[in-house]
Amino acid sequence: MKLTTTTMLTLDGVMQGLGAPDEDRRGGFERGGWQAPTWDDEAGTFLNQVYERADAYLFGRWTYEVFAHHWGAMAADPRGNPIAIALNTKPKYVASTTLTEAKWPDTTILSTDLIADLKARPGGELQVHGSGTLLRWLLDNQLVDEMNLLISPVILGQGTRLFPDTGPDLALDLVESRSTPKGITIQTYRPNGRPQYARADA
């Protein structure tokens, strides 16, 4: 399967607590709920289309539990919501060594060393949403085929960022770029090895 990731973040790279003020207070984070004021129909349409084309979903534990609580509760009555329908009708995998029971139906718990085998199965698109720790691990292990970044025109100045201050380097090829009426930029990239650096004697 093609492994794609979709991440919503601020201009300074923060991906924590986008949905609601109390969604994620880890580390003393106090600036949750930053996405809604910049969200618009065009961004929503793009995101719906992403979810609808998935064959399966892969989550880290934190994101899985947040999604199970919100979207899983809509299983009996999705009310025509494309994301709720997609998440509740397609297979879900959660990478965790501590989760012992998955209460969201059609969920399989697996360890990270089995993700490459999952990706190698025939099929269309295996999607990762949020799941920052898992996403960084997937990039480190060269398992990501394509990345969608939805960047809101907000600078938070605190919170967990998608990429740490120090880490592996990665070159990206830009596949698609657009902006929405409220200023969200949607970038699609494909990893392309390590960056090229100018020589010191050039």
Side-chain angles (χ1 to χ4, degrees), residues 44-94:
T45 297
F46 173 84
L47 194 62
N48 289 343
Q49 292 170 347
V50 168
Y51 274 93
E52 288 175 326
R53 69 176 184 242
D55 281 5
Y57 302 96
L58 173 65
F59 299 101
R61 176 169 180 167
W62 176 270
T63 302
Y64 173 79
E65 292 185 331
V66 171
F67 274 46
H69 176 75
H70 180 77
W71 297 109
M74 299 174 66
D77 183 17
R79 301 181 185 182
N81 186 300
I83 296 176
I85 293 169
L87 285 169
N88 285 295
T89 57
K90 297 176 182 179
K92 294 166 285 291
Y93 299 86
V94 53

